[in-house]
């Protein structure tokens, strides 16, 4: 076991990156956990298996500065991805 200190700001930054690049909506604790997992993986021997459990959801942070910089509407690239599975098309409805 190892204690990993989390520097200021990386929890929020990592939570934002998880939401915007991976589609994982987690909160500040989840961002901290993933940051620690990534840092641990950098030092782990090749072939190691690591598990990180993200302890919270980002739902309660949707109206806070944590996700203020992430656009709620899909852009064209995201719409293309949403339309790529013919058996289940996730198309936003018109207002």
């Amino acid at each position: 076991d190892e204690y990993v200190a989390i520097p200021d700001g990386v929890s929020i930054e990592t939570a934002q990156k998880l939401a915007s690049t991976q589609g994982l909506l987690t909160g500040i604790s989840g961002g901290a956990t993933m940051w620690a997992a990534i840092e641990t993986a950098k030092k782990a021997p090749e072939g190691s298996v690591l598990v990180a459990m993200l302890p919270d959801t980002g739902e309660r942070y949707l109206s806070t500065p944590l996700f203020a910089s992430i656009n709620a509407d899909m852009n064209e690239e995201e719409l293309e991805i949403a339309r790529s599975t013919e058996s289940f098309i996730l198309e936003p409805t018109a207002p």
Side-chain angles (χ1 to χ4, degrees):
D1 291 346
E2 177 184 356
Y3 172 79
V4 179
I6 308 298
D8 287 344
V10 298
S11 300
I12 291 172
E13 180 182 319
T14 305
Q16 290 170 337
K17 284 182 182 177
L18 285 170
S20 64
T21 65
Q22 304 301 315
L24 295 174
L25 187 61
T26 188
I28 297 168
S29 297
T33 299
M34 183 56 71
W35 184 87
I38 291 167
E39 293 304 305
T40 300
K42 290 176 183 177
K43 301 181 287 185
E46 188 173 338
S48 295
V49 176
L50 297 141
V51 175
M53 295 175 54
L54 305 184
D56 60 0
T57 179
E59 289 176 343
R60 67 178 148 216
Y61 298 103
L62 289 174
S63 62
T64 70
L66 177 61
F67 293 122
S69 65
I70 297 174
N71 193 347
D73 297 323
M74 287 192 263
N75 62 32
E76 284 304 315
E77 180 183 8
E78 292 165 335
L79 284 169
E80 185 179 335
I81 293 168
R83 296 174 182 139
S84 67
T85 306
E86 293 181 22
S87 62
F88 187 79
I89 296 178
L90 180 63
E91 185 76 27
T93 57

